[in-house]
């Protein structure tokens, strides 16, 4: 790992503090205390593109649709993970031709031969429950309170799928228009932009936390080319408002925390990373961050706006219904 310019900051402790924070002001306070918030040199342009707000901010018009993109990416990641683990090139001729074909091949051990293959219709409840543990959503923070105005809830989407290493993160989750999936037939997200659509609905500052670690089976295959492949990567995305300085952009831009070696190349630093056997990224019962995982990705959206407001997420007028719709 590279030397951290902010002295005294423990990356693991910082990541967990940010994970447990449930408001924009809390996140900003944590990052200010760590010495990161006020120095723009520590923040790298999302997708390494100037003027990225128009591209990232003009994806989905509804917050629920933008959130669904995150879930779709989790599903894609699960299928990609199983494909690589089984020694199949996702872009090769042996790869599945569709989502259904991929589900049938990787989770049922067969090809699509009838109307039920790859559709979960024949899955027993125990198998559905087992697989559901690999993709979770936890709501924390603001709760609906009668007669009182509360902050928007925070949403954490977590998966145990392929995961990303610190070196890969800028080229995958934090990229725009990369051709990561365009030649893969069995995924739904093709254009490498939809995941950024949720940023415009994250409070006033567009804050989003990302924590990720590569699947250990995949890491073994990539260890020669990626020295960071066994580490946890994490960063925070934010919306930067324009300044009055000459030469600076005149519109808002999305950036992400990348302070490592930022002094060597302006606004092209690397994300923070650390080593740990497990992290408590997934929910268990009513506790949002209780279940330890060895790999995967957690994305937290702070004070996320929804068209259903602060209604209970599982009620018929709540977020769950809107997502299913």
């Amino acid at each position: 790992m590279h030397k951290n310019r902010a002295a005294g900051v423990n990356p693991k402790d910082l990541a967990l503090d940010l994970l447990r924070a449930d408001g924009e002001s809390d996140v900003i306070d944590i990052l200010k205390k760590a010495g990161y918030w006020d120095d723009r040199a520590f923040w790298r342009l999302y997708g390494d593109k100037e003027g990225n707000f128009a591209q990232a901010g003009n994806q989905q018009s509804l917050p629920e649709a933008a959130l669904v993109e995150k879930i779709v990416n989790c599903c894609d990641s699960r299928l990609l993970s199983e494909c690589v683990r089984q020694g199949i090139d996702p872009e090769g001729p042996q790869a599945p031709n569709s989502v259904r074909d991929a589900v049938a091949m990787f989770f049922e051990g067969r090809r699509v031969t009838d109307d039920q293959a790859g559709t979960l219709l024949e899955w027993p409840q125990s198998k559905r429950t087992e697989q559901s543990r690999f993709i979770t959503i936890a709501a924390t923070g603001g709760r609906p309170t009668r007669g009182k105005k509360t902050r928007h809830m925070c949403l954490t989407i977590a998966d145990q799928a392929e995961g990303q290493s610190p070196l890969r993160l800028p080229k995958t989750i934090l990229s725009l228009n990369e051709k990561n999936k365009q030649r893969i037939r069995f995924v739904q997200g093709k254009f490498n932009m939809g995941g950024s659509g949720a940023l415009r609905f994250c409070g006033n500052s567009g804050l989003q936390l990302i924590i990720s670690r590569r699947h250990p089976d995949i890491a073994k295959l990539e260890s020669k080319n990626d020295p960071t492949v066994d580490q946890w990567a994490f960063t925070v995305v934010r919306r930067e408002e324009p300044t009055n300085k000459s030469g600076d952009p005149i519109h808002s831009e999305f950036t992400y925390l990348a302070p490592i070696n930022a002094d060597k190349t302006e606004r092209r630093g690397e994300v923070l990373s650390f080593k740990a056997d497990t992290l408590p990224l997934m929910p268990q019962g009513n506790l949002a961050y209780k279940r330890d995982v060895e790999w995967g990705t957690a994305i937290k959206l702070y004070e996320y706006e929804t068209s259903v407001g602060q209604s209970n997420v599982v009620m018929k007028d709540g977020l769950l219904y809107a997502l299913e719709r």
Side-chain angles (χ1 to χ4, degrees):
M1 289 186 289
H2 302 286
K3 185 177 180 181
N4 189 344
R5 279 182 59 190
V9 176
N10 183 301
K12 179 182 176 181
D13 291 343
L14 180 60
L16 292 176
D17 286 344
L18 291 167
L19 181 66
R20 295 174 183 130
D22 277 326
E24 281 192 332
S25 60
D26 300 326
V27 172
I28 294 172
D29 286 345
I30 290 170
L31 291 174
K32 281 187 174 182
K33 185 177 179 180
Y36 289 133
W37 183 260
D38 296 315
D39 193 337
R40 289 198 174 203
F42 287 148
W43 297 80
R44 181 170 170 173
L45 286 168
Y46 196 106
D48 292 325
K49 297 179 185 295
E50 291 186 347
N52 57 30
F53 183 83
Q55 188 173 350
N58 290 314
Q59 298 298 316
Q60 300 86 13
S61 59
L62 290 175
E64 290 79 25
L67 182 58
V68 165
E69 290 282 358
K70 296 288 193 184
I71 302 170
V72 166
N73 286 338
C74 291
C75 297
D76 286 350
S77 187
R78 278 283 285 143
L79 296 178
L80 284 167
S81 175
E82 293 304 310
C83 186
V84 175
R85 291 180 64 224
Q86 294 187 26
I88 301 172
D89 180 0
E91 298 181 3
Q94 301 302 316
N97 291 314
S98 67
V99 175
R100 276 190 61 195
D101 197 17
V103 172
M105 179 186 295
F106 301 142
F107 301 102
E108 299 174 353
R110 58 175 174 171
R111 287 280 189 175
V112 172
T113 56
D114 55 51
D115 291 340
Q116 294 187 344
T119 64
L120 283 66
L121 289 174
E122 296 178 336
W123 286 23
Q125 185 63 42
S126 59
K127 185 171 182 177
R128 294 189 186 195
T129 301
E130 176 190 0
Q131 291 301 323
S132 71
R133 287 170 56 84
F134 287 92
I135 299 175
T136 62
I137 301 175
T140 58
R143 294 173 176 268
T145 304
R146 182 175 297 177
K148 295 182 179 180
K149 185 176 181 180
T150 59
R151 296 182 303 186
H152 289 290
M153 73 183 85
C154 298
L155 296 169
T156 303
I157 306 98
D159 69 60
Q160 275 195 280
E162 59 176 343
Q164 302 298 333
S165 70
L167 194 63
R168 289 176 55 89
L169 203 61
K171 303 174 184 177
T172 52
I173 298 175
L174 296 166
S175 64
L176 289 170
N177 290 127
E178 294 286 346
K179 297 179 180 180
N180 294 325
K181 300 180 182 178
Q182 289 189 9
R183 295 181 179 85
I184 302 175
R185 298 184 296 274
F186 60 90
V187 297
Q188 299 174 77
K190 299 286 188 181
F191 301 106
N192 194 227
M193 293 189 295
S196 64
L199 293 172
R200 60 179 286 203
F201 302 109
C202 293
N204 296 317
S205 301
L207 293 178
Q208 172 185 271
L209 171 69
I210 303 171
I211 303 176
S212 191
R213 188 191 193 190
R214 204 74 165 138
H215 192 297
D217 292 346
I218 302 176
K220 291 177 183 178
L221 303 174
E222 300 173 344
S223 58
K224 291 183 179 180
N225 299 319
D226 186 351
T228 71
V229 76
D230 63 336
Q231 299 172 23
W232 289 94
F234 85 96
T235 188
V236 174
V237 180
R238 73 176 184 182
R239 176 179 177 175
E240 283 190 11
E241 298 297 335
T243 68
N244 295 322
K245 295 181 180 179
S246 176
D248 279 359
I250 61 174
H251 301 293
S252 299
E253 293 180 316
F254 287 117
T255 61
Y256 63 91
L257 182 61
I260 306 303
N261 292 329
D263 53 339
K264 296 180 179 179
T265 306
E266 186 177 356
R267 308 212 89 174
R268 279 286 188 136
E270 301 157 28
V271 300
L272 292 161
S273 62
F274 58 89
K275 291 187 176 182
D277 293 335
T278 63
L279 286 182
L281 300 184
M282 286 192 156
Q284 184 171 307
N286 290 327
L287 300 176
Y289 312 113
K290 179 66 175 178
R291 180 153 57 93
D292 287 327
V293 296
E294 297 179 19
W295 75 90
T297 301
I299 295 179
K300 184 163 186 174
L301 310 173
Y302 296 96
E303 298 193 29
Y304 196 70
E305 172 190 341
T306 69
S307 64
V308 296
Q310 289 295 94
S311 174
N312 188 304
V313 294
V314 297
M315 299 294 285
K316 65 179 181 180
D317 61 346
L319 180 61
L320 181 60
Y321 175 79
L323 290 178
E324 290 176 341
R325 182 180 59 205

